[in-house]
Structure formats: structure tokens, C-alpha cells
Amino acid sequence: MEKNAIVGQSGGPTSVINSSLAGVFQACSMRGAPRVYGMLNGVQGLLEERVCDLTERLSSYMDIELLKRTPSSFLGSCRYKLPEPDEDESVYIKLFGILEKLGIGYFFYIGGNDSMDTIGKLSEYGKRTGSDIRFIGVPKTIDNDLMLTDHTPGFGSAAKYIGVVMKEIIRDATVYGNRFVTIVEVMGRNAGWLTASAALARGEDCEGADLICLPEIPFHIDRFLEKVERMQKEKQSVVIAVSEGVKLPDGRFVCELSDDHRTKDAFGHINLTGTARYLSNLVARNMPTRSRAVELSILQRCGAHISSRTDITEAFQVGGAAAKAAFEGKTAMMVALDRLSDDPYQCTTKLVDIKEVANYEKKVPVEWINEQRTDMTQEFLSYARPLIQAELTPIFINGLTQHIVGV
Ligand code: F6P
């Protein structure tokens, strides 16, 4: 008798993480898994035996179509760090006991760096204890910072969102013809891929951002103020994209200079909001100009009304490729995207060793940032442009986008 499959979603949500869920679900069902279970709130929920039966819940074609268009994590998410097995084996004994009870042979986790750490630890423990469960990671993160994959599902849609809203912000910021500095804060803790996507806005109908600040380049407050002052001598309205993760030369995040209260997640990451607000206040205090901070915040993660169809399709494909790998006996792997060419854009999937992905971060190559450290080069644009192509029209009901919810 064929074994059942289980799938979980973990970390920050994206616009297309549910498309990967749909890919895993369909491929496992087609390959003969009698039941496909979903972990509610990832491994944390699994430890409390909170699971749902997706085979029952996703029973129609319409469910799958809605799932592909529904942002955020259908199954709920968690930021939960598994202990090292040598420190606390009881968690593993409990988890493997639950998996055995559910008759699981295939385990999928859709997530970013921290989630790949979970797959790494579970597969290692499984190997050590002779379990035949296969553990496969499915990449996801708007931050695009996973190693060994050309890009991550979720990034293309967030980059498209940022490109679109930057164009709209730039139109708004120029309307009065007065001195104005607009500072737009973009997510991305240590890697500036998303902030770099602000460069996509420039085109024949848009002058583009005037300054792009990534966490890869140390941020000097005095030089920043000088630059803004200089730019405003040439242009009344200056629009700046700044990463939430920009750091001072001493390694502190710029937002830590503000006196906002900060909390930490289970992985010890502090929450980084407030960079744009801090810089905007500084500008207004030091120059005769109005300044406004725009925090894109969670809007950029779940803006599924403007998803990239390329991204949705690839998210679905990596889910399917994960199921194929597991059913072919692979374990301790992550599915990666392998770009064959930029133009025409062609991309396929491959498998990479989970140990080489978990807990590493891929940064924006500094050669893709211009010499003045104000903008991105053509290499970045050629890399990012294919990922934002095409749209999948949302299903509108009563004037609003329709989602599938409620497991
Ligand atoms: O998913 C990644 C990410 O969006 C980061 O860019 C951001 O720093 C972080 O998640 C914040 O997520 P949350 O506030 O949900 O923990």
C-alpha cells in the first residue's frame, strides 16, 4: 500500500506559496498517495497534531484554481526552530511518532532558509534512526536569498508589485512640483534583492527611483544626507527606495537608531520596520523640504492581485518536482530553479543538497550595483525582468478578489 504525504508552509507568506502547495498536492495525488495531509502552522502545529486532510478539502478544479490565486499560507505558518537532536531528542521522537500514526512516507516543507534548516534536521534524524520517510524542501521567499537556486518562488511577484507601486509613488510624488523627498521602505533583512527591484520602475513612462540603498552596502547617514541635498538641487522631487535591512558601518541596523520597540522571532531576528520613517524625519529636520515615508510592509508579500504568472507557474512546478523527487526515493534535498537563458527566458528545476542551502543567505552581487552605489546595473535588470512577466487574472466576485480560506 502506497504511503501518505504531508506538506507544511513556514516562514513569511508570499503571493504564490499556495501555488506550490497546489503543485505538491496534485503531483502526490496523481502519483498515488491515498491521502495528502496539511500541517496547520507548520511543524509547530504538527507537534500538536494539528493537521488537515487536503484530499478532502481540495476536491475540485475550482479549489486548485483559487488556491493558485490566494496569497499567504493556506495552511497557516510558523517561525519555529527545531532544537538540535542531541540537545532535545524528545521533539523528534514525538514528531516521527505522529508521522508514523498518519502513515506518512513523503514530507514536504515549503519555506525559506529557516525552513530548510527544519528539512535538514528532520532528514538527518530520519537517516540516523532508519526511517524511510523522504524529506524534500520546496523553496519560497520574497527575499530571494536562498543559495543554489537561480531565484525563489515569491520573489517575482513581490518584485513586480514593487516595480508597479514605485511607478505609482513616483507619479504621486511629482504632482505639486515642490521640494519633496519620498522614502520607500522595502523588505529584505540582509539581502537587497527586493529593494533592487525598485529599479524595474524606470522606463519610457517613468523616470525611476533616484536612489536605491541595499543592505549589501554599508549605510553612512552623513553621506546619505549629502546625496539627498545634492539630488534636490537638480530635482524637486526625490524618490528613494531603501531596504529595511540597511546597516551602519558598525553593523547595527539603521532602524535601531530610532527608539521604536523591537521584538525577536524564534530564530533571533529582530523586527526591522521603521527605517524609512527614521530617515524621512532626519531629512525633514536637516533640509528645507517636505518628506514622506512609505512602508510597503506586508503589502509586498501578499499583493496577489498583481502576481507574476511566471512566478505562479514556477511555484507550481517546484511543488510538482518535489513530489517527483520524493516518490523517486530522494531525501534531504531542496528543489532549485535552474535558469537556462534570459532571452528567451527558460528555466527548469534541479535538486540540491539541503545541507548546502540551510542557514546560508544569497546576497545581491555588488557588481550588479552601479559604481556610485545609487542604482542597479543592466545585469540585474536582465536577471529580474523575466521573473515579473505576465499576469494571472484574479477571480473577482462582487468587485473584489476571491480567495480560498478555512482549513
Ligand atoms: O519573509 C521574509 C520577510 O518578509 C523579511 O523580508 C522580513 O524581514 C520578515 O519576513 C518579516 O516577517 P514577519 O514580521 O512576518 O516575521
Coordinates of all heavy atoms in Angstrom, one line a residue, residues 89-165:
E89 N 16.0 15.3 22.1 CA 15.5 14.3 21.1 C 14.0 14.1 21.2 O 13.4 13.6 20.3 CB 16.2 13.0 21.4 CG 16.1 12.0 20.2 CD 16.7 10.6 20.4 OE1 17.4 10.4 21.5 OE2 16.6 9.8 19.6
S90 N 13.4 14.5 22.4 CA 12.0 14.2 22.6 C 11.1 14.8 21.5 O 10.1 14.2 21.1 CB 11.6 14.8 24.0 OG 11.7 16.2 24.0
V91 N 11.5 16.0 21.0 CA 10.7 16.6 19.9 C 10.7 15.7 18.7 O 9.7 15.6 18.0 CB 11.3 18.0 19.6 CG1 10.6 18.6 18.4 CG2 11.3 18.9 20.7
Y92 N 11.8 15.1 18.4 CA 11.9 14.3 17.2 C 11.2 13.0 17.4 O 10.5 12.5 16.5 CB 13.4 14.0 16.9 CG 14.1 15.2 16.4 CD1 14.6 16.1 17.4 CD2 14.3 15.5 15.1 CE1 15.3 17.3 17.0 CE2 14.9 16.7 14.7 CZ 15.4 17.6 15.6 OH 16.0 18.7 15.2
I93 N 11.3 12.4 18.6 CA 10.5 11.2 18.9 C 9.0 11.5 18.7 O 8.3 10.7 18.1 CB 10.9 10.7 20.3 CG1 12.4 10.3 20.3 CG2 10.0 9.5 20.7 CD1 12.9 9.9 21.7
K94 N 8.6 12.6 19.2 CA 7.2 13.0 19.1 C 6.8 13.1 17.6 O 5.8 12.6 17.2 CB 6.9 14.2 19.9 CG 5.5 14.6 20.0 CD 5.2 15.6 21.1 CE 3.7 15.8 21.2 NZ 3.4 17.0 21.9
L95 N 7.6 13.9 16.9 CA 7.2 14.2 15.5 C 7.2 12.9 14.7 O 6.2 12.7 13.9 CB 8.3 15.1 14.9 CG 8.0 16.6 14.9 CD1 9.1 17.4 14.3 CD2 6.7 16.9 14.2
F96 N 8.2 12.1 14.8 CA 8.3 10.9 14.0 C 7.1 9.9 14.4 O 6.6 9.2 13.6 CB 9.6 10.2 14.1 CG 10.6 10.8 13.1 CD1 11.2 12.0 13.4 CD2 10.9 10.2 11.9 CE1 12.1 12.6 12.5 CE2 11.8 10.8 11.0 CZ 12.4 12.0 11.3
G97 N 6.7 9.9 15.7 CA 5.6 9.1 16.2 C 4.3 9.6 15.5 O 3.5 8.8 15.0
I98 N 4.1 10.9 15.4 CA 2.9 11.5 14.7 C 2.9 11.1 13.2 O 1.9 10.7 12.7 CB 2.8 13.0 14.9 CG1 2.7 13.3 16.4 CG2 1.7 13.6 14.1 CD1 2.9 14.8 16.8
L99 N 4.1 11.2 12.6 CA 4.2 10.9 11.2 C 3.8 9.4 10.9 O 3.2 9.1 10.0 CB 5.5 11.2 10.6 CG 5.9 12.7 10.6 CD1 7.4 12.9 10.2 CD2 5.0 13.5 9.8
E100 N 4.3 8.6 11.9 CA 4.0 7.1 11.7 C 2.5 6.9 11.8 O 1.9 6.1 11.0 CB 4.8 6.4 12.7 CG 4.9 4.9 12.4 CD 5.7 4.1 13.4 OE1 6.7 4.7 13.9 OE2 5.3 3.0 13.6
K101 N 1.9 7.5 12.8 CA 0.5 7.3 13.0 C -0.3 7.7 11.8 O -1.3 7.1 11.5 CB 0.0 8.2 14.2 CG -0.9 7.6 15.1 CD -1.4 8.2 16.4 CE -1.0 9.6 16.8 NZ -1.6 10.1 17.9
L102 N 0.2 8.8 11.1 CA -0.6 9.2 9.9 C -0.2 8.4 8.6 O -0.7 8.7 7.5 CB -0.3 10.7 9.6 CG -0.8 11.7 10.7 CD1 -0.2 13.1 10.4 CD2 -2.3 11.8 10.6
G103 N 0.7 7.5 8.8 CA 1.2 6.7 7.6 C 1.9 7.4 6.6 O 1.8 7.2 5.4
I104 N 2.8 8.4 7.0 CA 3.5 9.3 6.1 C 4.8 8.6 5.5 O 5.6 8.1 6.2 CB 3.9 10.6 6.8 CG1 2.7 11.3 7.4 CG2 4.7 11.5 5.9 CD1 1.6 11.7 6.4
G105 N 4.9 8.7 4.2 CA 6.1 8.3 3.5 C 6.8 9.5 2.9 O 8.0 9.4 2.5
Y106 N 6.1 10.6 2.7 CA 6.7 11.8 2.0 C 6.4 13.0 2.8 O 5.2 13.3 3.1 CB 6.1 11.9 0.6 CG 6.0 10.5 -0.1 CD1 4.9 9.7 -0.1 CD2 7.2 10.0 -0.7 CE1 4.9 8.5 -0.7 CE2 7.2 8.8 -1.3 CZ 6.0 8.0 -1.3 OH 6.0 6.7 -1.8
F107 N 7.4 13.8 3.0 CA 7.2 15.0 3.9 C 7.8 16.2 3.1 O 8.9 16.2 2.7 CB 8.0 14.8 5.2 CG 8.0 15.9 6.2 CD1 7.3 15.7 7.4 CD2 8.6 17.1 6.0 CE1 7.3 16.7 8.3 CE2 8.6 18.1 6.9 CZ 7.9 17.9 8.1
F108 N 6.9 17.2 2.9 CA 7.4 18.4 2.1 C 7.2 19.7 3.0 O 6.2 19.8 3.7 CB 6.5 18.6 0.9 CG 6.5 17.4 0.0 CD1 5.5 16.4 0.2 CD2 7.5 17.1 -0.9 CE1 5.5 15.2 -0.6 CE2 7.5 16.0 -1.7 CZ 6.5 15.0 -1.5
Y109 N 8.2 20.6 2.9 CA 8.2 21.8 3.7 C 8.4 22.9 2.7 O 9.5 23.0 2.1 CB 9.2 21.7 4.8 CG 8.7 22.4 6.1 CD1 7.4 22.4 6.5 CD2 9.6 23.1 6.9 CE1 7.0 23.0 7.7 CE2 9.2 23.7 8.1 CZ 7.9 23.6 8.5 OH 7.5 24.2 9.6
I110 N 7.5 23.9 2.6 CA 7.6 25.0 1.7 C 8.1 26.2 2.5 O 7.4 26.7 3.4 CB 6.3 25.3 1.0 CG1 5.6 24.0 0.4 CG2 6.5 26.3 -0.1 CD1 4.2 24.2 -0.1
G111 N 9.3 26.7 2.2 CA 9.8 27.8 3.0 C 11.1 28.3 2.6 O 11.7 27.9 1.5
G112 N 11.7 29.2 3.4 CA 13.0 29.8 3.1 C 14.1 29.2 3.9 O 14.0 28.0 4.3
N113 N 15.1 30.0 4.2 CA 16.3 29.5 4.9 C 16.0 28.7 6.2 O 16.5 27.6 6.4 CB 17.2 30.7 5.4 CG 17.9 31.3 4.2 OD1 18.5 30.6 3.5 ND2 17.8 32.6 4.1
D114 N 15.2 29.3 7.0 CA 14.9 28.6 8.3 C 14.2 27.3 8.1 O 14.3 26.4 8.9 CB 14.2 29.6 9.2 CG 15.0 30.9 9.5 OD1 16.2 30.8 9.4 OD2 14.4 32.0 9.7
S115 N 13.3 27.3 7.1 CA 12.5 26.1 6.9 C 13.4 25.0 6.3 O 13.2 23.8 6.6 CB 11.4 26.4 5.9 OG 10.8 27.6 6.2
M116 N 14.4 25.4 5.6 CA 15.3 24.4 5.0 C 16.2 23.8 6.2 O 16.6 22.6 6.1 CB 16.2 24.9 3.9 CG 15.4 25.4 2.7 SD 14.2 24.0 2.1 CE 12.8 25.0 1.8
D117 N 16.4 24.6 7.2 CA 17.0 24.1 8.4 C 16.2 22.9 9.0 O 16.7 21.9 9.4 CB 17.2 25.2 9.4 CG 17.7 24.8 10.7 OD1 18.9 24.5 10.8 OD2 17.0 24.9 11.7
T118 N 14.9 23.1 9.0 CA 14.0 22.1 9.5 C 14.1 20.8 8.7 O 14.2 19.7 9.2 CB 12.5 22.6 9.5 OG1 12.5 23.7 10.3 CG2 11.5 21.6 10.0
I119 N 14.1 20.9 7.4 CA 14.2 19.7 6.5 C 15.5 19.1 6.7 O 15.6 17.8 6.8 CB 14.0 20.1 5.0 CG1 12.6 20.4 4.7 CG2 14.6 19.1 4.0 CD1 11.7 19.1 4.6
G120 N 16.6 19.9 6.9 CA 17.9 19.3 7.1 C 18.0 18.5 8.4 O 18.4 17.3 8.4
K121 N 17.4 19.0 9.4 CA 17.5 18.3 10.7 C 16.6 17.1 10.7 O 17.0 16.0 11.2 CB 17.0 19.3 11.9 CG 18.0 20.3 12.2 CD 17.5 21.2 13.3 CE 18.5 22.2 13.7 NZ 17.9 23.5 14.2
L122 N 15.4 17.2 10.1 CA 14.5 16.0 10.1 C 15.1 14.9 9.3 O 15.0 13.7 9.7 CB 13.1 16.4 9.6 CG 12.3 17.3 10.6 CD1 10.9 17.7 9.9 CD2 12.0 16.5 11.9
S123 N 15.6 15.2 8.1 CA 16.1 14.2 7.2 C 17.4 13.5 7.9 O 17.5 12.3 7.8 CB 16.5 14.7 5.8 OG 17.3 15.8 5.9
E124 N 18.2 14.3 8.6 CA 19.4 13.8 9.2 C 18.9 12.8 10.3 O 19.5 11.7 10.5 CB 20.1 15.0 9.8 CG 21.5 14.7 10.4 CD 22.5 14.1 9.4 OE1 22.4 14.5 8.2 OE2 23.2 13.3 9.7
Y125 N 17.9 13.2 11.1 CA 17.5 12.4 12.2 C 16.8 11.1 11.7 O 17.1 10.0 12.2 CB 16.5 13.1 13.1 CG 16.0 12.3 14.3 CD1 16.8 12.3 15.4 CD2 14.8 11.6 14.3 CE1 16.4 11.5 16.5 CE2 14.4 10.9 15.4 CZ 15.2 10.8 16.5 OH 14.8 10.1 17.6
G126 N 16.1 11.3 10.6 CA 15.4 10.1 9.9 C 16.5 9.1 9.5 O 16.3 7.9 9.7
K127 N 17.5 9.6 8.8 CA 18.6 8.7 8.4 C 19.2 8.0 9.5 O 19.4 6.8 9.5 CB 19.7 9.6 7.7 CG 19.7 9.4 6.2 CD 20.9 10.1 5.6 CE 20.4 11.0 4.4 NZ 21.4 12.0 4.0
R128 N 19.5 8.7 10.6 CA 20.2 8.2 11.7 C 19.3 7.1 12.4 O 19.8 6.1 12.9 CB 20.4 9.3 12.8 CG 21.7 9.1 13.5 CD 21.7 9.8 14.8 NE 21.8 11.3 14.6 CZ 21.7 12.2 15.5 NH1 21.3 11.8 16.7 NH2 21.8 13.4 15.3
T129 N 18.0 7.2 12.3 CA 17.1 6.3 13.1 C 16.5 5.2 12.1 O 15.6 4.5 12.5 CB 16.0 7.0 13.8 OG1 15.3 7.9 12.9 CG2 16.6 7.8 14.9
G130 N 16.9 5.2 10.8 CA 16.5 4.2 9.9 C 15.1 4.5 9.4 O 14.4 3.5 8.9
S131 N 14.6 5.7 9.5 CA 13.2 6.0 8.9 C 13.2 6.0 7.4 O 14.2 6.4 6.8 CB 12.8 7.3 9.5 OG 11.7 7.8 8.7
D132 N 12.1 5.5 6.8 CA 12.1 5.6 5.3 C 11.3 6.8 4.8 O 11.0 6.8 3.6 CB 11.7 4.2 4.7 CG 10.3 3.9 5.2 OD1 9.7 4.7 5.9 OD2 9.8 2.7 4.9
I133 N 11.0 7.7 5.6 CA 10.3 8.9 5.2 C 11.2 9.8 4.4 O 12.4 10.0 4.8 CB 9.7 9.7 6.4 CG1 8.8 8.8 7.2 CG2 9.0 11.0 5.9 CD1 8.3 9.5 8.5
R134 N 10.8 10.3 3.2 CA 11.6 11.2 2.4 C 11.2 12.6 2.7 O 10.1 13.0 2.7 CB 11.4 10.9 0.9 CG 12.0 9.6 0.5 CD 10.9 8.6 0.2 NE 11.4 7.3 0.0 CZ 11.0 6.5 -1.0 NH1 10.2 6.9 -1.9 NH2 11.5 5.3 -1.0
F135 N 12.3 13.4 2.9 CA 12.1 14.8 3.3 C 12.6 15.7 2.2 O 13.8 15.7 1.8 CB 12.8 15.2 4.6 CG 12.3 14.4 5.8 CD1 12.8 13.2 6.1 CD2 11.3 15.0 6.5 CE1 12.3 12.5 7.2 CE2 10.8 14.3 7.6 CZ 11.3 13.0 8.0
I136 N 11.7 16.5 1.6 CA 12.1 17.4 0.5 C 11.7 18.9 0.8 O 10.5 19.1 1.2 CB 11.5 17.0 -0.9 CG1 11.8 15.5 -1.2 CG2 11.8 17.9 -2.0 CD1 13.3 15.3 -1.7
G137 N 12.6 19.8 0.5 CA 12.3 21.2 0.7 C 11.8 21.8 -0.6 O 12.3 21.5 -1.7
V138 N 10.8 22.7 -0.4 CA 10.3 23.4 -1.6 C 10.6 24.9 -1.4 O 10.1 25.5 -0.4 CB 8.7 23.2 -1.7 CG1 8.2 23.9 -3.0 CG2 8.4 21.7 -1.7
P139 N 11.4 25.5 -2.3 CA 11.8 26.9 -2.0 C 10.7 27.9 -2.0 O 9.8 27.9 -2.9 CB 12.9 27.1 -3.1 CG 12.4 26.3 -4.2 CD 11.8 25.1 -3.6
K140 N 10.8 28.9 -1.2 CA 9.8 30.0 -1.1 C 10.4 31.1 -0.3 O 11.0 30.9 0.7 CB 8.6 29.5 -0.5 CG 7.6 30.5 0.0 CD 7.6 31.2 1.3 CE 8.6 31.0 2.4 NZ 8.4 31.9 3.6
T141 N 10.5 32.3 -0.9 CA 10.7 33.5 0.0 C 10.7 34.7 -1.0 O 11.4 34.7 -2.0 CB 12.0 33.5 0.8 OG1 12.2 34.9 1.3 CG2 13.2 33.0 0.1
I142 N 10.0 35.8 -0.5 CA 10.1 37.0 -1.3 C 11.5 37.6 -1.3 O 11.9 38.3 -2.1 CB 9.1 38.1 -0.8 CG1 9.4 38.5 0.6 CG2 7.7 37.6 -1.0 CD1 8.7 39.8 1.0
D143 N 12.3 37.2 -0.3 CA 13.6 37.8 -0.1 C 14.6 37.3 -1.1 O 15.7 37.9 -1.3 CB 14.2 37.5 1.3 CG 13.4 38.1 2.4 OD1 12.7 39.1 2.1 OD2 13.5 37.7 3.6
N144 N 14.3 36.2 -1.8 CA 15.2 35.7 -2.9 C 16.6 35.4 -2.4 O 17.6 35.5 -3.2 CB 15.3 36.7 -4.1 CG 15.7 36.0 -5.3 OD1 15.4 34.9 -5.6 ND2 16.5 36.8 -6.1
D145 N 16.8 35.0 -1.2 CA 18.1 34.8 -0.6 C 18.5 33.4 -0.4 O 19.5 33.1 0.4 CB 18.2 35.7 0.7 CG 17.2 35.2 1.8 OD1 16.4 34.4 1.5 OD2 17.3 35.7 2.9
L146 N 17.8 32.4 -1.0 CA 18.3 31.0 -0.9 C 19.4 30.7 -1.8 O 19.4 31.1 -3.0 CB 17.1 30.1 -1.2 CG 16.0 29.9 -0.1 CD1 14.9 29.0 -0.6 CD2 16.7 29.3 1.1
M147 N 20.3 29.9 -1.3 CA 21.5 29.5 -2.1 C 21.1 28.5 -3.2 O 20.1 27.8 -3.0 CB 22.6 28.9 -1.2 CG 23.2 29.8 -0.2 SD 24.0 31.2 -0.9 CE 25.5 30.5 -1.5
L148 N 21.9 28.4 -4.2 CA 21.9 27.3 -5.2 C 20.6 27.2 -6.0 O 20.4 26.3 -6.7 CB 22.1 25.9 -4.5 CG 23.4 25.8 -3.7 CD1 23.5 24.3 -3.2 CD2 24.6 26.1 -4.6
T149 N 19.8 28.2 -5.9 CA 18.7 28.3 -6.8 C 18.8 29.7 -7.5 O 19.2 30.7 -6.9 CB 17.3 28.2 -6.1 OG1 16.3 28.2 -7.0 CG2 17.1 29.2 -5.0
D150 N 18.5 29.7 -8.8 CA 18.6 31.0 -9.6 C 17.8 32.1 -8.9 O 18.2 33.2 -8.8 CB 18.1 30.8 -11.0 CG 18.2 32.1 -11.8 OD1 19.3 32.4 -12.2 OD2 17.1 32.7 -12.0
H151 N 16.6 31.7 -8.4 CA 15.7 32.6 -7.7 C 14.7 31.8 -7.0 O 14.7 30.6 -7.1 CB 15.0 33.6 -8.7 CG 14.2 32.9 -9.8 ND1 14.8 32.3 -10.9 CD2 12.9 32.6 -9.9 CE1 13.8 31.8 -11.6 NE2 12.7 31.9 -11.0
T152 N 13.9 32.5 -6.1 CA 12.9 31.7 -5.3 C 11.5 32.1 -5.7 O 11.2 33.3 -5.9 CB 13.1 32.0 -3.8 OG1 13.1 33.4 -3.6 CG2 14.4 31.5 -3.3
P153 N 10.6 31.1 -5.8 CA 9.2 31.5 -6.0 C 8.8 32.5 -4.9 O 9.1 32.3 -3.7 CB 8.5 30.1 -5.8 CG 9.5 29.1 -6.3 CD 10.8 29.7 -5.7
G154 N 8.0 33.5 -5.3 CA 7.6 34.5 -4.3 C 8.3 35.8 -4.7 O 7.7 36.9 -4.6
F155 N 9.6 35.7 -5.1 CA 10.3 36.9 -5.4 C 9.7 37.7 -6.6 O 9.6 38.9 -6.6 CB 11.8 36.6 -5.6 CG 12.6 37.7 -6.2 CD1 12.8 38.8 -5.4 CD2 13.2 37.6 -7.5 CE1 13.5 39.9 -5.9 CE2 13.9 38.7 -8.0 CZ 14.1 39.8 -7.2
G156 N 9.5 36.9 -7.7 CA 9.0 37.6 -8.9 C 7.7 38.4 -8.7 O 7.6 39.5 -9.2
S157 N 6.8 37.9 -7.9 CA 5.6 38.6 -7.7 C 5.8 39.8 -6.8 O 5.2 40.9 -7.0 CB 4.5 37.7 -7.1 OG 4.2 36.7 -8.0
A158 N 6.6 39.7 -5.8 CA 6.9 40.8 -4.9 C 7.7 41.9 -5.7 O 7.4 43.1 -5.6 CB 7.7 40.3 -3.7
A159 N 8.6 41.4 -6.6 CA 9.4 42.4 -7.4 C 8.4 43.1 -8.4 O 8.6 44.3 -8.6 CB 10.5 41.6 -8.2
K160 N 7.5 42.4 -8.9 CA 6.5 43.0 -9.8 C 5.7 44.1 -9.0 O 5.5 45.2 -9.5 CB 5.6 41.9 -10.4 CG 4.6 42.4 -11.5 CD 3.8 41.2 -12.0 CE 2.8 41.6 -13.0 NZ 3.3 41.3 -14.4
Y161 N 5.3 43.7 -7.8 CA 4.5 44.6 -7.0 C 5.3 45.9 -6.8 O 4.8 47.0 -6.9 CB 4.1 43.9 -5.7 CG 3.3 44.8 -4.8 CD1 1.9 44.8 -4.8 CD2 3.9 45.7 -3.9 CE1 1.2 45.6 -3.9 CE2 3.2 46.5 -3.0 CZ 1.8 46.4 -3.1 OH 1.1 47.2 -2.2
I162 N 6.6 45.7 -6.4 CA 7.4 46.9 -6.1 C 7.6 47.7 -7.3 O 7.5 49.0 -7.2 CB 8.8 46.4 -5.5 CG1 8.5 45.8 -4.1 CG2 9.8 47.5 -5.4 CD1 9.5 44.9 -3.5
G163 N 7.9 47.1 -8.5 CA 8.0 47.9 -9.7 C 6.8 48.7 -10.0 O 6.9 49.9 -10.3
V164 N 5.6 48.1 -9.9 CA 4.4 48.8 -10.1 C 4.1 49.9 -9.2 O 3.8 51.0 -9.6 CB 3.2 47.7 -10.1 CG1 1.8 48.4 -10.1 CG2 3.2 46.8 -11.3
V165 N 4.3 49.6 -7.9 CA 3.9 50.7 -6.9 C 5.0 51.8 -6.9 O 4.6 53.0 -6.7 CB 3.7 50.2 -5.5 CG1 2.5 49.3 -5.4 CG2 4.9 49.6 -4.8

